[in-house]
Amino acid sequence: MSAGLDPRLLARAREVVADTTGFRDDAIAQEAVERVLRAELARGRVPTEVLSELQQLGSPLAYTLVRAVLVGETYFFRQSEHFRYITHEGIPTALRHGAMHLRGWSAGCATGEEAYSLGACLLACAPPGMPVEVVGTDLHEASLEAARRGTYGAWSRRESAPALHPVYELHNGRQVSILPEVRKVTRFAPANLLAPLPERFGHFDFILCRNVLTYFSPSARDAAIVHLARALVPGGLMFLGTVEVDRTPPGLTREGPPELQAFRKPRPEERTFAQLPVAQPVLAPRMTPAPRRLSAPMPVSPTPPPVPPPSPSRMHLQALERIEEGNVAGATAVLELLVKQAPDYLPGLLELALLRERAGARDAAFPLMRALRTRAGQLPPDTLVDGPEALPARFYLASADAYLNLGALE
């Protein structure tokens, strides 16, 4: 089918899709890419003109390509075992630990059925009067517009996924519309999983990201999972698709049977001993020496050995502890000192860049991400980089690329 299309045009179009979505090359539908390119050429454009536009990551054509390859298969209460686990285990546990509200995120929500299902689940299980909020995000603005309309046909309702909680009402004979109370607690916004979720969205008790990462390259998948995990509250649960990961993500613990693909972020009191701050030794008070005769030489006290500076990993942990405490200024000061003392410590560059991004200081985040990309690109991709979590260099390279490319798109 690709006969007649410039190979350079096809290659660049696939690069744009991969850079924006994180999709593996074999997960990018060739026919969708070709359909978009042929439509552009049918408008009278020449290949060099189309290729020139594709060099601009923020171009309308780039978005058209991304929309063409995105997969939007979804329906209400898909993978019902996840909603049952949230109902019977997740919400009761959150309430026992003093949750004052319940918040959920449907990451890669497509046309919104999953987000509304999660909203209905939280509403049905929350104590009366407890605030509930669900955010659905996706790259495809047209899908988000469909989600905001909240009207669905038979394809969104499947016998294999029973309606576990009230979520819609029959409307117009064949269609259904979302219940007003569910619509009220559910909102939608564009977001890319390859970049951190903006700080204004806050953190979540429950994150659903199912059958999204299946299409991602390994480095893009790892980057997305780190961003998802960062958005969890301590004790929060993240649910992934059945075959999307083959190991527990760093910093999380597995919940339930392996096939559930549920992972929890430990609470501070559950951190392992190795994660706790190292206690500094308490020096015994120096005793005042007894008076001596002036003729006797005074002994020279040995000079205590210099205290070695904390390792980069230790400083990074100190910054993370301040972030957990809500002390953003303290965390920023520690990370700025860390980056100054250890400019080749990749996790520190990434952490400070993300902290500045969440604070709205994107101009200050970009130089850090560029430095991260340069330093990560000098390492073999599978080299494990020391830090609170041992992650390969390709993870840091993918994170920097995703951030810098997203900035260009915006």
Side-chain angles (χ1 to χ4, degrees):
M1 183 180 176
S2 59
L5 286 175
D6 188 330
R8 295 176 303 163
L9 194 58
L10 273 172
R12 178 55 189 163
R14 295 179 70 86
E15 284 178 3
V16 168
V17 172
D19 289 344
T20 307
T21 64
F23 281 13
R24 303 186 315 274
D25 186 69
D26 62 353
I28 299 173
Q30 178 79 356
E31 63 275 12
V33 174
E34 293 182 358
R35 184 170 63 250
V36 171
L37 295 178
R38 291 184 186 281
E40 291 296 311
L41 297 174
R43 291 169 49 199
R45 305 183 72 184
V46 296
T48 53
E49 180 186 358
V50 177
L51 185 61
S52 177
E53 183 177 349
L54 286 177
Q55 302 303 325
Q56 308 167 28
L57 288 178
S59 67
L61 181 54
Y63 282 113
T64 301
L65 281 165
V66 169
R67 288 196 298 268
V69 303
L70 290 178
V71 180
E73 167 71 356
T74 184
Y75 47 89
F76 292 111
F77 294 104
R78 187 181 186 184
Q79 291 182 254
S80 57
E81 65 274 12
H82 288 166
F83 294 99
R84 290 191 173 96
Y85 194 85
I86 291 172
T87 298
H88 299 296
E89 300 290 339
I91 294 175
T93 300
L95 296 178
R96 283 198 303 271
H97 283 84
M100 303 301 292
H101 49 68
L102 295 175
R103 304 191 73 243
W105 177 19
S106 172
C109 67
T111 47
E113 290 92 329
E114 179 181 84
Y116 285 127
S117 299
L118 183 55
C121 178
L122 300 186
L123 271 179
C125 302
M130 173 173 278
V132 168
E133 183 183 16
V134 170
V135 177
T137 65
D138 201 87
L139 265 178
H140 192 188
E141 184 58 45
S143 294
L144 294 174
E145 284 300 319
R148 294 183 184 108
R149 288 194 295 270
T151 303
Y152 299 93
W155 188 247
S156 298
R157 297 170 285 149
R158 310 285 176 89
E159 292 183 2
S160 60
L164 301 177
H165 303 285
V167 62
Y168 52 72
E169 58 188 351
L170 191 62
H171 172 73
N172 228 5
R174 298 177 59 185
Q175 289 188 316
V176 297
S177 57
I178 299 300
L179 292 170
E181 58 269 28
V182 177
R183 185 191 293 267
K184 185 178 179 180
V185 302
T186 311
R187 62 189 176 106
F188 298 92
N192 190 328
L193 295 181
L194 296 183
L197 192 67
E199 186 70 14
R200 67 179 182 274
F201 289 102
H203 292 76
F204 302 92
D205 302 280
F206 307 101
I207 295 177
L208 301 181
C209 184
R210 291 101 52 88
N211 310 303
V212 177
L213 305 182
T214 301
Y215 307 99
F216 281 31
S217 67
S219 58
R221 178 199 60 207
D222 292 346
I225 288 175
V226 169
H227 298 320
L228 290 164
R230 286 179 183 274
L232 280 172
V233 301
L237 288 168
M238 177 170 68
F239 297 85
L240 302 177
T242 307
V243 296
E244 292 179 321
V245 293
D246 55 3
R247 63 188 184 279
T248 302
L252 304 182
T253 60
R254 186 179 290 278
E255 288 284 302
E259 62 270 17
L260 189 66
Q261 289 290 64
F263 305 95
R264 187 167 63 87
K265 186 174 187 176
R267 295 179 175 83
E269 64 270 18
E270 297 171 324
R271 289 183 298 175
T272 63
F273 180 79
Q275 293 174 306
L276 295 176
V278 175
Q280 297 298 319
V282 178
L283 299 179
R286 180 173 296 179
M287 302 300 293
T288 302
R292 295 176 180 271
R293 295 203 311 266
L294 293 177
S295 58
M298 296 292 291
V300 178
S301 300
T303 302
V307 178
S311 68
S313 295
R314 175 57 52 198
M315 293 180 70
H316 192 171
L317 283 173
Q318 291 171 356
L320 293 176
E321 288 161 7
R322 284 164 172 74
I323 291 173
E324 284 187 8
E325 296 165 357
N327 183 4
V328 177
T332 302
V334 172
L335 288 170
E336 287 176 345
L337 180 61
L338 169 57
V339 168
K340 182 178 180 181
Q341 293 181 352
D344 292 325
Y345 179 68
L346 304 187
L349 288 168
L350 179 59
E351 197 73 59
L352 183 55
L354 296 179
L355 198 61
R356 287 177 171 170
E357 166 68 24
R358 291 194 293 270
R362 175 163 289 191
D363 289 345
F366 261 85
L368 291 165
M369 284 294 191
R370 284 193 287 267
L372 177 66
R373 193 196 185 288
T374 298
R375 288 169 169 78
Q378 294 169 349
L379 298 174
D382 292 323
T383 300
L384 286 179
V385 176
D386 184 38
E389 303 164 7
L391 296 170
R394 58 182 165 79
F395 162 78
Y396 294 99
L397 183 62
S399 296
D401 278 339
Y403 183 89
L404 296 171
N405 287 335
L406 182 65
L409 279 170
E410 293 177 345

